[in-house]
Amino acid sequence: MMITHYLHKIASPAAFYLFCGRCLPWLIALFFIVLALGLYGGLVTAPADYQQGDAFRIIYVHVPAAWMSLFIYLVMAINAAVALIWRIKISEVIVVSSAYIGASFTFLALVTGSLWGKPMWGTWWTWDARLTSELVLLFLYFSIIALYNAYEDKRVASKAISILALVGVINIPIIHYSVVWWNTLHQGATVTKLDKPSIHIDMLIPLLEMAFAFNLYYLISLMQRARNEILKREFNSLWVKKLCQESSNE
Amino acid sequence: MNEFLTMGGYGFYIWTAYGVSFLVLAVDALVNRLQQRKTLQNLAQFHQTQHNPTNILDEH
């Protein structure tokens, strides 16, 4: 009962705007601390791989970026469903605000994967299932952004991209299981499987730290974009007027 | 130190991967900041021309 009350309150645009504003400085500070730990662990203290030497250190940007590309899409799809069913404004804002940073992480997963593939596989790119489905994900993010910007009325735009995001969710299990279902150069899952992770703890900890740092960055970027989007949508409401008045008095 | 930079011969690939990653995140952060500033400026302008700020609180 208390949780639904709290959720109801935070789902109002004004409360959400203020809540994000209060959280952001702390999240940014925490992001830099975790990032520094992850980078030090990944680049300095983790031992070189017995097969790949130091080249394996690309894992610390590649794998977290790839995880984020999928995770952000799932967050988008869940919010798309909520936006379509209950017409919750904050969910509409989260869908569009996630698309940009989701596209960025997908782009990074592809580029860092390419930079890893060249020295290890001998090629920058191959049209196998994992790489192709991840590229499809990048184009999905691009189409969501383009579709949103094609509409003048942002609530109609949100409805359109929510439907597109939900249709595109079929790609997510395809990406995850692509290395199992098809023959590929790409290696199988190391951490995200039911069995014990097949990576040494000294290599795993920096990976989890980097993944946490990227998650924090997603949260920061999402909140900043969402705040901006809320202001644009609510420009004529009383609380925005008050906000402008307060900032002009400062 | 030199060993750290060459990364056992993989320096180019590793540093490019890390460089691109932080460049993309930095650009994203910069774009967010610029957009927020632009929105706040537009809003301030809009509310200044639309109403006399002192009347808003009285109206409601």
Side-chain angles (χ1 to χ4, degrees):
Chain A
M1 206 51 215
M2 258 185 68
I3 292 174
T4 43
H5 178 74
Y6 179 74
L7 280 178
H8 193 75
K9 210 173 139 189
I10 205 79
S12 97
F16 188 81
Y17 182 90
L18 293 174
F19 172 77
C20 292
R22 273 200 296 270
C23 290
L24 273 167
W26 299 100
L27 287 174
I28 291 168
L30 188 62
F31 165 72
F32 280 112
I33 294 168
V34 178
L35 181 71
L37 282 175
L39 284 178
Y40 185 75
L43 290 170
V44 182
T45 56
D49 185 71
Y50 82 106
Q51 271 187 329
Q52 301 196 0
D54 281 315
F56 98 99
R57 295 184 197 280
I58 292 177
I59 200 176
Y60 297 114
V61 280
H62 174 70
V63 168
W67 280 346
M68 291 315 293
S69 72
L70 300 181
F71 174 70
I72 294 172
Y73 199 91
L74 286 179
V75 173
M76 266 177 59
I78 291 166
N79 277 284
V82 171
L84 285 175
I85 297 167
W86 291 293
R87 312 291 287 146
I88 305 231
K89 283 182 189 168
I90 295 302
S91 286
E92 291 180 3
V93 169
I94 290 175
V95 175
V96 63
S97 303
S98 296
Y100 294 91
I101 185 68
S104 303
F105 278 125
T106 311
F107 171 76
L108 282 181
L110 288 166
V111 170
T112 57
S114 195
L115 283 159
W116 199 359
K118 183 62 185 165
M120 289 301 118
W121 300 342
T123 180
W124 297 104
W125 183 261
T126 163
W127 289 103
D128 81 344
R130 171 56 69 87
L131 280 68
T132 308
S133 54
E134 185 76 12
L135 187 65
V136 168
L137 183 67
L138 182 65
F139 291 143
L140 257 174
Y141 277 120
F142 284 163
S143 1
I144 286 168
I145 294 167
L147 187 61
Y148 187 78
N149 290 322
Y151 287 93
E152 190 69 35
D153 182 339
K154 291 311 176 194
R155 295 215 73 179
V156 179
S158 288
K159 200 170 178 181
I161 63 165
S162 293
I163 293 168
L164 180 57
L166 279 176
V167 173
V169 94
I170 185 76
N171 193 32
I172 299 301
I174 294 179
I175 295 174
H176 185 75
Y177 291 108
S178 56
V179 288
V180 182
W181 293 341
W182 290 283
N183 251 327
T184 168
L185 279 178
H186 199 285
Q187 68 179 80
T190 310
V191 183
T192 51
K193 56 181 183 183
L194 293 174
D195 213 358
K196 207 169 86 189
S198 42
I199 177 172
H200 192 270
I201 189 83
D202 290 344
M203 291 175 169
L204 179 62
I205 287 171
L207 182 61
L208 297 180
E209 285 168 346
M210 288 302 283
F212 185 42
F214 277 23
N215 256 296
L216 284 168
Y217 187 77
Y218 165 51
L219 209 56
I220 291 166
S221 183
L222 171 65
M223 283 185 171
Q224 287 172 338
R225 281 195 191 276
R227 266 162 68 93
N228 192 35
E229 194 66 31
I230 287 170
L231 280 185
K232 282 200 272 187
R233 286 177 176 220
E234 305 273 312
F235 71 99
N236 218 2
S237 66
L238 180 63
W239 71 272
V240 175
K241 280 178 196 165
K242 275 186 186 164
L243 198 83
C244 290
Q245 197 188 355
E246 278 163 21
S247 61
S248 66
N249 286 347
E250 268 167 21
Chain B
M1 191 63 206
N2 202 27
E3 227 170 87
F4 180 67
L5 290 179
T6 53
M7 283 283 169
Y10 297 115
F12 167 75
Y13 300 105
I14 294 174
W15 297 120
T16 313
Y18 279 78
V20 173
S21 301
F22 294 109
L23 191 70
V24 167
L25 296 192
V27 167
D28 180 77
L30 190 70
V31 167
N32 285 352
R33 176 160 285 222
L34 291 178
Q35 282 184 346
Q36 180 85 356
R37 188 182 294 175
K38 198 176 129 200
T39 306
L40 286 173
Q41 277 170 356
N42 287 345
L43 280 173
Q45 217 170 15
F46 174 80
H47 287 300
Q48 244 164 24
T49 50
Q50 288 277 309
H51 301 280
N52 180 357
T54 48
N55 292 336
I56 292 170
L57 294 175
D58 301 336
E59 276 170 19
H60 295 271

